[in-house]
Amino acid sequence: FKARMTIKLAVAGAFHTEFMQPAVSALEAVLADVEIKKPRIPVISNVDAKPHSDPDTIKKLLATQVTSPVLWENTMDSMLSSGFEEAYELGPGKVTAGILKRFDKQAKCTNVEV
């Protein structure tokens, strides 16, 4: 992003760090009982910034992301270079839309507040 300054984030935990390791086994246990079907659209993981369609791989990546840094820029580059048409941001605010616009000013992103 060519940052000009840094901002201390007010977060509730040490997410995406090794400090979260104790949570991984609990998440893996929950995921073992969850059926994930093959997605119609590949899921781009923020662990490796690659598209995935295999349900078992997706489960493993969900557990891995608890302690892995988020590869946000790589994920956005991967998404935008693979036929991206439109994004939908779910939840309050437009943080994702704003970041997406930094990568591609023409990118279409619709916010859906739930």
Side-chain angles (χ1 to χ4, degrees):
F1 291 138
K2 298 177 185 164
R4 289 172 247 169
M5 66 179 188
T6 60
I7 299 171
K8 184 176 180 180
L9 298 176
V11 295
F15 307 116
H16 306 288
T17 70
E18 288 301 317
F19 291 112
M20 294 299 295
Q21 188 60 45
V24 173
S25 58
L27 179 58
E28 288 172 331
V30 170
L31 289 171
D33 294 330
V34 172
E35 179 188 7
I36 295 180
K37 295 183 180 181
K38 182 176 180 178
R40 290 181 283 158
I41 302 168
V43 174
I44 299 177
S45 168
N46 63 17
V47 172
D48 62 6
K50 296 179 182 172
H52 299 278
S53 294
D54 176 61
D56 290 332
T57 300
I58 293 169
K59 281 186 182 186
K60 288 175 188 166
L61 288 167
L62 285 170
T64 302
Q65 82 175 17
V66 172
T67 57
S68 298
V70 176
L71 301 180
W72 185 251
E73 287 187 52
N74 305 65
T75 301
M76 298 300 283
D77 287 338
S78 176
M79 182 180 71
L80 291 168
S81 67
S82 62
F84 170 84
E85 293 178 19
E86 182 174 0
Y88 292 90
E89 181 172 12
L90 304 177
K94 296 183 180 181
V95 173
T96 303
I99 295 171
L100 176 60
K101 293 290 184 183
R102 290 182 186 179
F103 283 89
D104 182 347
K105 298 215 183 300
Q106 304 304 316
K108 187 173 179 185
C109 186
T110 301
N111 179 265
V112 179
E113 292 200 29
V114 289

